[in-house]
């Protein structure tokens, strides 16, 4: 994407933005509505159009910790939100069979060990491992150990970094109630046409099947994969990343809970994709993400149904997608948020986070006095950098594998990954170093946990670790591990904590 492209495009004379039209009422549409109405509702007239007939994608139930910031912005009560959406806590993702077909590791939230200013904890761990003094890397992470023991509690001073699993349909409904109470007007109907201003190319209005017309100054495209405004009407091209992200299909099915809800998502690799298991209070969300070149839809259905636990509550729902990004997510007076703006794939639960980021960026650059080409260029540039970083992190899981038991995994191993990812892999593999760039979502700990989990062991460590004698290094490692184990042993079981803290009402 050329950051100057939007600036070079003809723009209509700046005109104040007051009337906001949100097209689509999935997670994206209602998150936008909630945030705009809460923060700027008194300045704006906000309408949201959604079609009951079309419905929403209905998945998207695992999140990452920054969602708490979004909820703080809305001043939501956590217990109320969790009870309304039948939510559980999430401390990370357990990856199973991703490295060699018979392995597991957890990518947890939070940090691991203690860093020195010259060198991250991994260097001390590598030294300890070399001398036979260190345990598993995960033994030095509080969140990871709590996840393994299925324990959870709120600790003082933000002691545990956590996110949520929730029911996506209930989340949208919860945010709808919130938004309507803050003045958002919901219009039910199917959008038939997106009407452009011939001179400026801006969107003037939407026409519904009922022939009603909805005018606006700024249109937010939250129509999901259809991308009715940004794609169909404004013709912004879509950049296809399927050469890096091979999965293009998913099947989702809900099952009855069997056993206690664990505080982590499970991601189980199969021959041509992977399966998710997301435990909620009232049920489990399951799905299979797969590559249609290597697995037929019928095979996928059979594989998924053979690998779920508990009574199957819904008919498996098929979803097709193209991993990639919209070349510009803001063009003229239209901003795309949610699946309309791009989709990596669900492996690291980053899609709802990208909705939040798009939304916060929009608030920061809100064009109250009129749309500026410079804002558009800046917005698009920031969105691109952000999603490309996440793309690299997800590609890492597929590429860095020792699996060669199927054509799918052999293809993943052999793929030519983005240069930015190649560099990270070389840097860690050769030196044990990882650096987080500005505005990057995934911190050093995430990269290290996944690179080690996928089998990449650095050849070197920082020499500062050599300065520690065996006794000092043992004391250092054991004091971290001891503190973590003591803390974890005092936490209540996750399931019990959820029931006491935010039990969902029976429906
Ligand atoms: P949708 O839910 O598709 O909503 C689109 C809206 O537009 C609907 O209200 C629809 O009625 C409306 N609409 C469309 N066309 C018209 C029309 N013509 N007229 C009127 N209205 C219209 N994200 C995560 O963060 N974590 C996850 O674990 C996760 N898992 C996923 C698993 C899969 C298989 C997939 C495909 C996605 C997953 N995601 C996940 C992504 C997540 O589901 C989406 O980011 C989120 O649901 C937002 O979707 P949306 O609102 O953009 O689109």
């Amino acid at each position: 994407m050329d950051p100057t492209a939007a600036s070079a495009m003809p723009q209509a004379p700046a005109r104040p933005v007051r009337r906001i039209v949100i097209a689509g009422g999935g997670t994206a549409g209602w998150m936008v509505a909630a945030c705009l109405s809460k923060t700027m509702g008194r300045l704006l007239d906000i309408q949201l159009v959604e079609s009951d007939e079309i419905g929403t994608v209905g998945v998207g139930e695992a999140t990452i910790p920054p969602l708490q910031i979004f909820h703080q912005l809305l001043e939501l009560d956590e217990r109320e939100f969790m009870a309304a959406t039948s939510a559980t806590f999430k401390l990370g993702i357990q990856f199973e069979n991703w490295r060699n077909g018979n392995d597991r590791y957890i990518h947890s939230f939070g940090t691991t060990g203690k860093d020195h200013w010259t060198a991250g904890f991994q260097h001390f761990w590598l030294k300890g491992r070399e001398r036979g003094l260190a345990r598993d890397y995960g033994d030095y992470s509080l969140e990871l150990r709590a996840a393994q023991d299925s324990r959870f509690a709120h600790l003082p001073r933000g002691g545990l970094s956590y996110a949520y699993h929730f029911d996506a349909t209930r989340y949208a409904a919860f945010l709808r109630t919130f938004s309507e109470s803050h003045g958002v007007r919901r219009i039910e109907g199917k959008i038939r046409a997106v009407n452009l201003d011939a001179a400026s190319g801006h969107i003037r209005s939407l026409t519904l099947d009922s022939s009603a017309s909805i005018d606006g100054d700024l249109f937010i495209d939250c129509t999901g994969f259809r991308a009715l405004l940004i794609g169909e009407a404004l013709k912004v091209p879509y950049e296809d990343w399927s050469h890096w992200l091979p999965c293009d299909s998913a099947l989702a099915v809900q099952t009855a809970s069997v056993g206690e809800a664990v505080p982590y998502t499970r991601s189980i690799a199969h021959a041509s994709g992977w399966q998710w298991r997301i435990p909620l209070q009232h049920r489990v969300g399951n799905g299979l993400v797969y590559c249609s070149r290597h697995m037929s839809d019928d095979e996928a259905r059979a594989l998924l149904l053979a690998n779920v636990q508990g009574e199957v509550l819904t008919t498996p729902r098929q979803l097709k997608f193209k991993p990639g990004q919209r070349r510009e997510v803001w063009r003229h007076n239209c901003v795309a948020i949610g699946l309309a703006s791009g989709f990596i794939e669900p492996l690291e639960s980053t899609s709802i986070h990208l909705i939040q980021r798009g939304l916060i960026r929009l608030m920061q650059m809100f064009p109250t006095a009129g749309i500026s080409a410079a804002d558009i260029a800046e917005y698009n540039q920031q969105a691109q950098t952000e999603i490309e970083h996440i793309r690299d992190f997800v590609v890492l899981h597929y590429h860095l594998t020792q699996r060669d038991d199927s054509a799918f995994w052999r293809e993943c191993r052999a793929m030519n990954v983005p240069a930015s990812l190649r560099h990270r892999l070389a840097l860690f593999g050769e030196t044990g170093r990882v650096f987080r760039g500005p505005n990057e979502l995934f911190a050093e700990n995430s990269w290290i946990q996944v690179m080690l989990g996928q089998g990449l062991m650095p050849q070197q460590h920082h020499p500062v670790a050599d300065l520690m004698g065996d006794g000092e290094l043992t004391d250092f490692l054991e004091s971290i591990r001891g503190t973590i184990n003591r803390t974890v042993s005092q936490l209540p079981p996750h399931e019990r904590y959820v029931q006491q803290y935010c039990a969902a009402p029976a429906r």
Side-chain angles (χ1 to χ4, degrees), residues 166-218:
F166 57 57
D167 181 308
T169 308
R170 292 187 189 178
Y171 188 59
F174 179 76
L175 292 180
R176 173 181 163 187
T177 306
F178 177 93
S179 306
E180 289 180 324
S181 74
H182 285 80
V184 174
R185 279 173 297 134
R186 172 184 184 266
I187 300 162
E188 201 288 314
K190 204 160 153 191
I191 301 163
R192 190 175 65 206
V194 179
N195 309 303
L196 304 183
D197 179 87
S200 66
H202 282 220
I203 299 176
R204 216 179 43 229
S205 61
L206 306 178
T207 305
L208 307 188
D209 262 0
S210 62
S211 298
S213 174
I214 304 171
D215 299 350
D217 304 318
L218 183 68

Side-chain angles (χ1 to χ4, degrees), residues 17-231:
V17 168
R18 216 185 75 74
R19 297 168 306 161
I20 313 297
V21 179
I22 301 166
T27 302
W30 286 114
M31 281 177 76
V32 172
C35 187
L36 284 183
S37 62
K38 168 75 181 170
T39 53
M40 301 180 69
R42 274 174 297 166
L43 303 173
L44 303 172
D45 172 70
I46 307 169
Q47 301 184 76
L48 182 147
V49 192
E50 67 174 322
S51 159
D52 289 341
E53 185 191 321
I54 294 173
T56 66
V57 72
V59 282
E61 309 202 311
T63 63
I64 55 174
L67 190 68
Q68 286 180 49
I69 301 169
F70 179 68
H71 290 172
Q72 281 159 16
L73 198 79
L74 301 184
E75 297 181 271
L76 292 184
D77 179 83
E78 188 181 60
R79 288 171 192 254
E80 205 181 304
F81 140 72
M82 290 188 73
T85 59
S86 198
T88 58
F89 293 101
K90 173 182 168 187
L91 293 167
I93 304 173
Q94 176 162 283
F95 290 93
E96 300 172 29
N97 307 336
W98 279 81
R99 186 172 71 224
N100 58 25
N102 183 25
D103 58 277
R104 66 176 54 174
Y105 69 92
I106 294 182
H107 168 208
S108 67
F109 305 134
T111 55
T112 301
K114 283 190 192 130
D115 295 337
H116 183 259
W117 68 270
T118 53
F121 173 75
Q122 76 274 16
H123 295 280
F124 300 91
W125 177 78
L126 285 166
K127 185 73 206 171
R129 190 174 170 274
E130 185 186 284
R131 294 189 199 160
L133 306 173
R135 310 279 286 254
D136 286 350
Y137 190 70
D139 284 2
Y140 305 93
S141 162
L142 176 61
E143 286 77 4
L144 193 147
R145 287 286 303 109
Q148 280 176 331
D149 283 13
S150 202
R151 290 175 181 271
F152 184 87
H154 289 90
L155 293 176
R157 295 183 296 283
L160 272 180
S161 176
Y162 66 88
Y164 312 101
H165 299 125
F166 57 57
D167 181 308
T169 308
R170 292 187 189 178
Y171 188 59
F174 179 76
L175 292 180
R176 173 181 163 187
T177 306
F178 177 93
S179 306
E180 289 180 324
S181 74
H182 285 80
V184 174
R185 279 173 297 134
R186 172 184 184 266
I187 300 162
E188 201 288 314
K190 204 160 153 191
I191 301 163
R192 190 175 65 206
V194 179
N195 309 303
L196 304 183
D197 179 87
S200 66
H202 282 220
I203 299 176
R204 216 179 43 229
S205 61
L206 306 178
T207 305
L208 307 188
D209 262 0
S210 62
S211 298
S213 174
I214 304 171
D215 299 350
D217 304 318
L218 183 68
F219 291 80
I220 317 291
D221 187 349
C222 298
T223 58
F225 290 133
R226 287 176 180 80
L228 283 186
L229 284 61
I230 197 89

